[in-house]
Amino acid sequence: MQATEVKALLEESISGSRVLVEGEGCDFRLTVISDQFEGALPVKRQQMVYKHLNELIASGAIHAVTMTTLTPSEAERQA
């Protein structure tokens, strides 16, 4: 699986999101920025992302995922 494929999948699945992906093969580091995370606890945010990756994880196409989930205002503060 390529980083560009993971990016495209998540940006299509989580409307209005911006996704940064590092890694290749089956080990990825993600930064997902979305308005949909507003008011959600970190675990809920991760669940929102994992639901789109679960099938790929189950098949072995993705083995390891590390992620940071941010709202646009949180991302702006970190910049």
Side-chain angles (χ1 to χ4, degrees):
M1 180 127 228
Q2 299 297 317
T4 55
E5 294 172 291
V6 175
K7 176 182 173 65
L9 169 73
L10 291 175
E11 286 182 342
E12 287 177 20
S13 302
I14 303 171
S15 64
S17 66
R18 186 166 45 115
V19 181
L20 309 170
V21 182
E22 296 177 359
E24 58 185 46
C26 58
D27 183 10
F28 296 99
R29 289 164 303 287
L30 310 174
T31 300
V32 183
I33 303 164
S34 174
D35 285 329
Q36 292 187 26
F37 297 146
E38 197 69 50
L41 295 173
V43 170
K44 180 64 176 170
R45 293 177 181 193
Q46 289 185 355
Q47 289 171 340
M48 292 167 70
V49 175
Y50 273 122
K51 77 177 182 180
H52 304 293
L53 301 176
N54 282 338
E55 191 173 304
L56 295 168
I57 293 169
S59 74
I62 294 177
H63 174 71
V65 175
T66 304
M67 75 177 77
T68 301
T69 54
L70 304 166
T71 64
S73 60
E74 291 169 340
E76 191 174 297
R77 285 194 296 269
Q78 286 190 359

